[in-house]
Amino acid sequence: MTLSGTALAAALAGCTDGGGDGDVTTQANGTTAGTTEEPTETAEETTTQSGEQAFVRAVHAAPGAPAVDVYVNDQLAFEEAPYKGVTPYAELPPGEYDVRITAAGDESTVVFDETVPVEAGYQSALAYGELGADEGSDTAFSVGLLADQSEAPGDEESLVRLFHGSPDAPAVDVTVESSGDVLFDGAAFGDTTDYASVPPGSYTLEVRPDTEDGSGDVVTTFDVTVEGGTAYSAFAVGYLELSGDQPEFDLVTTTDGPGQTEGPE
């Protein structure tokens, strides 16, 4: 599988970094067409039966890990994806693909090498966890495939979900400052919540340790603006308690699914 590198490079070059209370790192996403060479039998059969395509992007949410290259069926698919980077969606037939992730520019340093099933629709291939953690530990480096919202919500509705990727943070509740409503309840490291429906507008979100009623002390806050007819993913990354040059806790937001090209403000 080969993918257009021009659109990918432009998207990664436009990524901005942020951190600390009140900052949100927003990544724009888009789509870029891909072509396949000698697709697998599974991919051919699935495409023939359904007539649908898969759209996959890569999300680098592993704090402390270097920029990475992603190979699909031994072809370079995503190059030098940085920490907190989100690539555009790439189009490919559904099926099983050999996915290998290496340190950028160093094929000998392999951090992931497995066969990954890819279904029709929009998905995020998410790298998270700690490279230095013991294999089998709760915070060990992992790659997961998240099913993204494939249909835009109505114009008067925004959809938002949360992925908890902060290795040293406890399970958290996320509440809305103005109302006290619990938007996400008890999200632990490695968890992805369901999409929550909220009216379009601007919000201050409070991150708290998980309690039964969402009344834990506020650890940090983030200001976000969401638009109607748009689905968003928010990736909580970094560390609450810093040691050495560890990256600080941050919230990376992206728009999900077809036709989405800008993140929230």
Side-chain angles (χ1 to χ4, degrees):
M1 184 180 71
T2 57
L3 306 177
S4 169
T6 303
L8 173 60
L12 292 180
C15 293
T16 58
D17 291 339
D21 291 7
D23 290 336
V24 175
T25 302
T26 300
Q27 307 289 359
N29 73 46
T31 59
T32 182
T35 59
T36 60
E37 298 175 0
E38 300 180 0
T40 64
E41 181 178 355
T42 301
E44 290 176 337
E45 291 175 352
T46 305
T47 304
T48 300
Q49 292 173 0
S50 68
E52 297 181 350
Q53 289 290 86
F55 298 86
V56 182
R57 65 183 176 185
V59 181
H60 186 338
V68 298
D69 293 336
V70 181
Y71 293 84
V72 179
N73 289 352
D74 290 325
Q75 298 294 316
L76 182 60
F78 299 111
E79 185 175 14
E80 295 185 358
Y83 171 58
K84 297 197 291 189
V86 181
T87 74
Y89 286 103
E91 182 179 355
L92 67 161
E96 292 190 344
Y97 293 89
D98 295 327
V99 176
R100 186 172 76 256
I101 301 176
T102 72
D106 180 7
E107 288 192 55
S108 65
T109 303
V110 178
V111 296
F112 180 85
D113 189 0
E114 292 186 17
T115 299
V116 176
V118 177
E119 300 180 353
Y122 287 78
Q123 291 139 90
S124 293
L126 177 67
Y128 65 100
E130 300 176 295
L131 285 177
D134 294 335
E135 186 175 350
S137 73
D138 291 340
T139 62
F141 182 85
S142 301
V143 174
L145 200 62
L146 309 182
D148 297 344
Q149 182 71 18
S150 291
E151 296 183 3
D155 291 342
E156 300 303 316
E157 179 185 30
S158 303
L159 296 178
V160 183
R161 70 174 174 184
L162 174 70
F163 173 79
H164 184 330
S166 175
D168 71 334
V172 298
D173 298 332
V174 177
T175 57
V176 180
E177 183 183 62
S178 59
S179 64
D181 292 342
V182 179
L183 190 61
F184 304 115
D185 180 22
F189 176 77
D191 286 349
T192 305
T193 71
D194 293 333
Y195 283 95
S197 176
V198 298
S202 297
Y203 300 90
T204 295
L205 302 182
E206 303 169 319
V207 180
R208 309 166 179 264
D210 178 40
T211 60
E212 291 185 2
D213 59 359
S215 61
D217 293 336
V218 175
V219 174
T220 188
T221 62
F222 294 94
D223 296 324
V224 299
T225 297
V226 294
E227 298 180 355
T230 307
Y232 301 91
S233 287
F235 303 95
V237 297
Y239 292 89
L240 287 176
E241 300 293 335
L242 299 181
S243 175
D245 59 355
Q246 289 178 332
E248 65 182 340
F249 189 86
D250 195 11
L251 194 69
V252 178
T253 60
T254 70
T255 55
D256 298 345
Q260 309 301 332
T261 58
E262 297 180 356
E265 298 173 4

